[in-house]
Amino acid sequence: MKRYRHKTRVVKIGNVPIGGSNPVAIQSMAKFKTSDLERTLAQIKSLEACGCEIIRVAVKDDSDAAAIKKLKAGIKIPLVADIHFHARLALAAIENGADKIRLNPGNIRKEKEIREIVAALKAAKIPLRIGLNSGSVQGTHVSAGSMSEKLVKSALSYIRTIEKLKFHDIVISLKANNVLDTMQAYRKIAKLCDYPLHLGVTATGSPVKGMIKSSIALGALLLEGIGDTIRVSLTEDPANEVQACRAILESVGLRHFGPELISCPTCGRCEVDLSSLVRELEGSLQGFKKPLKVAVMGCVVNGPGEAMEADVGVAFGKKEGILFKKGKAQGKVSFGSCARQLLNEMEKL
Amino acid sequence: MKRYRHKTRVVKIGNVPIGGSNPVAIQSMAKFKTSDLERTLAQIKSLEACGCEIIRVAVKDDSDAAAIKKLKAGIKIPLVADIHFHARLALAAIENGADKIRLNPGNIRKEKEIREIVAALKAAKIPLRIGLNSGSVQGTHVSAGSMSEKLVKSALSYIRTIEKLKFHDIVISLKANNVLDTMQAYRKIAKLCDYPLHLGVTATGSPVKGMIKSSIALGALLLEGIGDTIRVSLTEDPANEVQACRAILESVGLRHFGPELISCPTCGRCEVDLSSLVRELEGSLQGFKKPLKVAVMGCVVNGPGEAMEADVGVAFGKKEGILFKKGKAQGKVSFGSCARQLLNEMEKL
């Protein structure tokens, strides 16, 4: 099935092109003080390992800007410098090799400063993200209208300023602190320009609620064909942000990162500890690259059906299950040996 | 803003009406053997306490059917008996006071049995959920078409059989093991009938992925006005299913269950341990009923803006923050006393 995708121009962030027909790229943000090189480098490397494709770092002062050069030498993925308030930090970040700059129209507004930054972006041949957030949109002095209208109007006004400087290497984000405003803002801007869109909900609260808000907003927008790169903002370890981005992209069928695990929620019919089996399998499947479907089901109601539809699967009855492979029953399997046998069968496929 | 909602008839499950303009109700399922009265009762009571509004139990054998009477005596929310394979268990569950019966068209198909069950439902004046799952749809012998078409055709064929018996107290669910099939199935059935829809994705895999799949599918459908009751199926503690249901309904703006917490994901700018503060507040806010917005933000970029927009909020700078109340700065607050001061201010509002 060919799915509709909102047409955007291609913008390259280091070696990662976004927009056009490129895969929706996964972003996260390092959370230690950027100039704390040891911890920031370790965090970025662990994020790379779990699937982060673009990393952003806060540039709060000159020591952070200086750190970019050293970080770039130690990491593989493109690095984005997050700039607020101080144009000189944008210039320093570009000088030090950042692959993209994020500016906030809510706090860098002087035309002379914008001109200087754009000149430096052109010279370095790197793109700019114009990043609006509900928490700083008041700084743009667009005060009329709903939150989504304020985000869109502020972005468009900033875009026009930048376009006058003949610069079009632009990515846009419009993050509100809730699902409805965020979705409305992105839907509106998608109709008004063809710059790639960086999707995110901001200030999402507790990690579980943040994951749910982000899943709904990003999921619904991606299903509508909107979005070229995504970031899930969670008040916790950024590795969980990357995991959530991957799961969102898999869930909407846009990308696949290894096996898909299918397991029932269990109920009073289930006689095995399916939950522990799912945890065990989830761990074992992490390094597994083949995009196979694996089902582990707790009883005979939906078990045989899901196990047969999967590449490999087990439907449990009393303590033991029936192993299925490509739709065919392979015989009985004990609960204790189930994970090992499933992995063996997956290796062979 | 008046939002579109797919028009459905009202069906009463015990004292909980669903469909029409009633609030989208939250369901979960008990996970111990239903006849294990002590554990099942304790689980249902804890689910009631965290916001579950309708509870389902598996009725696998006669001892489970018998347990319904005793469970009903100990709980406040309506109880749904989940029946597969055996018509006599449906009859026994109705006899024992179940508030709704769920039948699976994939495994109870004999016309004589359906007639008997419907007669008992009519006599007891309780509704029926016709619940299709991707894992058992093959039992309906509808084999042509995509998964969503199979789910819809199987449901419609069963509905026609039941309607001939002049019974219309029907709820429908069409759960596939993935977002796209599930959404397609519900969108199709919503165009074809006016029975209330019970939304869910089935066999969702690991808890985090299950939460993400459910959030996307249920969130997107609810945003389209589809869905009268929801269940999030997770291979883990059902309390987390209820928590996820609540967060989904809050995120799409359909229901509110107490304060909304707004917190930034933190980055290299943040100089306090915001994550621990968010965990502390999340705990303290659980009993709090007022639908207030509370913001705790890690720095001055989006902090003052979000804190001002919230009912109460703190924007941190270096180690200490500025407390805001209804948009006005109230003075400095230390990190250590922040949670307590926010709660104090909330009590006063």
Side-chain angles (χ1 to χ4, degrees):
Chain A
M1 179 185 67
K2 178 77 184 152
R3 281 163 61 167
Y4 170 76
R5 184 165 175 190
H6 168 61
K7 200 170 149 49
T8 53
R9 63 176 74 201
V10 176
V11 167
K12 273 192 88 176
I13 304 161
N15 56 2
V16 177
I18 63 165
S21 57
N22 289 297
V24 176
I26 292 171
Q27 311 213 9
S28 186
M29 193 161 180
K31 300 199 173 181
F32 298 112
K33 177 87 169 83
T34 305
S35 59
D36 180 346
L37 271 176
E38 198 175 330
R39 292 208 290 176
T40 302
L41 195 58
Q43 188 166 58
I44 298 176
K45 289 173 88 75
S46 83
L47 291 174
E48 278 181 347
C50 70
C52 183
E53 296 165 330
I54 299 166
I55 187 72
R56 182 157 49 114
V57 298
V59 179
K60 189 176 178 180
D61 56 32
D62 296 298
S63 70
D64 292 337
I68 289 175
K69 192 175 272 179
K70 288 173 190 154
L71 289 173
K72 281 285 297 171
I75 66 175
K76 293 185 201 120
I77 56 176
L79 183 145
V80 183
D82 196 63
I83 311 287
H84 299 272
F85 305 112
H86 306 294
R88 75 175 155 76
L89 295 177
L91 298 173
I94 298 168
E95 177 79 30
N96 286 317
D99 297 296
K100 181 169 94 176
I101 297 293
R102 179 266 175 112
L103 294 183
N104 182 340
N107 55 43
I108 294 191
R109 305 195 51 73
K110 288 184 188 142
E111 273 213 41
K112 179 173 169 290
E113 291 182 346
I114 295 174
R115 264 203 314 277
E116 281 174 6
I117 296 171
V118 169
L121 291 168
K122 281 184 184 173
K125 296 198 171 82
I126 63 167
L128 167 68
R129 169 154 69 98
I130 298 175
L132 274 296
N133 287 44
S134 51
S136 45
V137 71
Q138 76 281 2
T140 64
H141 310 303
V142 173
S143 53
S146 65
M147 177 52 76
S148 64
E149 283 164 354
K150 280 191 267 192
L151 291 168
V152 170
K153 280 184 198 166
S154 301
L156 286 176
S157 147
Y158 212 73
I159 291 168
R160 298 308 167 229
T161 305
I162 307 279
E163 283 175 337
K164 277 187 204 146
L165 302 169
K166 305 212 185 312
F167 186 80
H168 299 89
D169 233 6
I170 295 170
V171 179
I172 301 167
S173 66
L174 306 174
K175 303 185 185 180
N177 67 14
N178 66 75
V179 168
L180 299 178
D181 288 337
T182 302
M183 287 184 65
Q184 281 167 14
Y186 282 103
R187 282 173 174 164
K188 284 176 188 164
I189 200 92
K191 289 190 184 141
L192 298 169
C193 71
D194 72 346
Y195 296 112
L197 297 177
H198 163 130
L199 304 186
V201 185
T202 189
T204 56
S206 75
V208 166
K209 292 193 180 175
M211 200 174 287
I212 288 173
K213 290 179 197 175
S214 301
S215 299
I216 298 175
L218 275 51
L221 288 167
L222 290 166
L223 286 169
E224 292 175 18
I226 295 173
D228 301 290
T229 177
I230 62 172
R231 191 252 173 134
V232 170
S233 294
L234 299 177
T235 312
E236 65 166 344
D237 184 344
N240 295 331
E241 298 184 354
V242 174
Q243 188 195 11
C245 285
R246 283 188 160 211
I248 290 170
L249 293 173
E250 287 185 321
S251 297
V252 298
L254 285 176
R255 296 184 65 180
H256 299 283
F257 305 96
E260 180 183 350
L261 187 56
I262 288 155
S263 66
C264 72
T266 80
C267 70
R269 292 180 174 272
C270 181
E271 299 186 27
V272 298
D273 183 2
L274 201 74
S275 193
S276 75
L277 175 62
V278 164
R279 278 195 300 275
E280 183 186 346
L281 277 172
E282 213 195 348
S284 318
L285 293 176
Q286 289 218 333
F288 213 94
K289 297 281 180 236
K290 295 181 204 167
L292 298 174
K293 281 192 189 175
V294 194
V296 287
M297 300 287 291
C299 84
V300 296
V301 172
N302 298 305
E306 294 291 355
M308 259 189 269
E309 283 295 314
D311 294 292
V312 293
V314 171
F316 283 101
K318 283 183 190 296
K319 310 299 171 202
E320 62 182 14
I322 306 288
L323 178 71
F324 290 84
K325 187 173 164 183
K326 293 281 180 193
K328 293 206 171 62
Q330 308 287 312
K332 291 184 179 172
V333 57
S334 72
F335 182 75
S337 69
C338 171
R340 189 169 36 75
Q341 285 205 47
L342 282 170
L343 292 165
N344 281 347
E345 294 298 341
M346 290 173 69
E347 295 287 357
K348 289 189 226 158
L349 282 172
Chain B
M1 181 185 64
K2 178 76 185 150
R3 281 163 62 168
Y4 170 76
R5 184 165 175 191
H6 167 61
K7 201 170 147 49
T8 53
R9 63 175 75 201
V10 176
V11 167
K12 271 191 89 175
I13 304 161
N15 56 2
V16 178
I18 62 164
S21 57
N22 289 297
V24 176
I26 292 172
Q27 311 213 9
S28 186
M29 193 162 181
K31 300 199 172 180
F32 299 112
K33 178 88 169 81
T34 304
S35 59
D36 182 346
L37 271 177
E38 198 176 329
R39 292 208 289 175
T40 302
L41 195 59
Q43 188 165 57
I44 298 176
K45 289 172 88 75
S46 84
L47 292 173
E48 278 180 348
C50 71
C52 183
E53 295 165 329
I54 299 167
I55 187 71
R56 182 158 47 116
V57 298
V59 179
K60 190 176 178 179
D61 56 31
D62 296 298
S63 70
D64 292 337
I68 289 175
K69 192 174 273 180
K70 288 173 189 153
L71 290 173
K72 281 284 297 171
I75 66 175
K76 295 187 200 116
I77 55 176
L79 183 145
V80 183
D82 197 62
I83 311 288
H84 300 272
F85 305 113
H86 306 295
R88 74 175 157 79
L89 295 177
L91 298 174
I94 298 168
E95 176 79 30
N96 285 318
D99 297 297
K100 181 169 93 176
I101 296 294
R102 179 267 175 111
L103 294 183
N104 181 338
N107 56 42
I108 294 192
R109 305 195 51 72
K110 288 185 189 141
E111 274 213 41
K112 178 172 169 290
E113 291 182 345
I114 296 174
R115 264 202 315 276
E116 281 173 5
I117 296 171
V118 169
L121 291 169
K122 280 184 185 175
K125 296 197 171 85
I126 63 166
L128 167 69
R129 169 154 67 99
I130 298 174
L132 276 295
N133 286 44
S134 52
S136 45
V137 70
Q138 77 282 0
T140 65
H141 310 302
V142 173
S143 54
S146 65
M147 177 52 75
S148 63
E149 283 163 355
K150 281 191 267 191
L151 292 168
V152 170
K153 279 184 200 168
S154 302
L156 287 177
S157 145
Y158 212 74
I159 290 168
R160 297 311 165 228
T161 305
I162 307 278
E163 284 175 336
K164 276 186 205 148
L165 302 168
K166 306 211 184 311
F167 187 81
H168 299 88
D169 232 8
I170 295 171
V171 178
I172 301 167
S173 66
L174 306 173
K175 302 184 184 181
N177 67 14
N178 65 75
V179 168
L180 300 179
D181 288 336
T182 302
M183 287 184 63
Q184 280 167 14
Y186 282 103
R187 282 173 172 165
K188 284 176 188 164
I189 200 92
K191 289 189 184 142
L192 298 169
C193 70
D194 71 347
Y195 296 112
L197 298 177
H198 163 130
L199 304 186
V201 185
T202 190
T204 56
S206 75
V208 167
K209 291 193 180 175
M211 200 174 287
I212 287 173
K213 289 179 197 175
S214 301
S215 300
I216 297 175
L218 275 50
L221 288 167
L222 290 167
L223 286 168
E224 292 175 19
I226 295 173
D228 301 289
T229 177
I230 62 172
R231 191 249 173 134
V232 170
S233 295
L234 299 177
T235 312
E236 65 166 344
D237 185 344
N240 295 331
E241 298 185 354
V242 174
Q243 188 194 12
C245 286
R246 284 188 158 212
I248 290 170
L249 293 173
E250 286 185 322
S251 297
V252 298
L254 285 177
R255 295 185 65 181
H256 299 283
F257 305 96
E260 181 183 349
L261 187 57
I262 288 155
S263 67
C264 73
T266 80
C267 70
R269 291 180 175 272
C270 181
E271 299 186 28
V272 297
D273 183 2
L274 201 74
S275 193
S276 75
L277 175 61
V278 164
R279 277 195 300 275
E280 183 186 347
L281 277 174
E282 212 195 349
S284 318
L285 293 177
Q286 289 218 333
F288 212 94
K289 298 280 178 240
K290 296 180 204 167
L292 299 173
K293 282 192 189 176
V294 193
V296 285
M297 301 287 293
C299 84
V300 296
V301 172
N302 298 305
E306 294 290 356
M308 258 188 270
E309 283 295 315
D311 293 292
V312 293
V314 171
F316 283 100
K318 282 184 191 297
K319 308 301 170 201
E320 61 183 14
I322 306 289
L323 178 71
F324 291 84
K325 187 174 164 183
K326 293 280 180 195
K328 292 204 172 64
Q330 308 287 313
K332 289 184 180 175
V333 58
S334 72
F335 182 75
S337 70
C338 171
R340 190 168 36 75
Q341 285 204 47
L342 282 170
L343 291 165
N344 281 346
E345 294 297 341
M346 289 173 71
E347 295 286 356
K348 289 189 228 159
L349 281 173

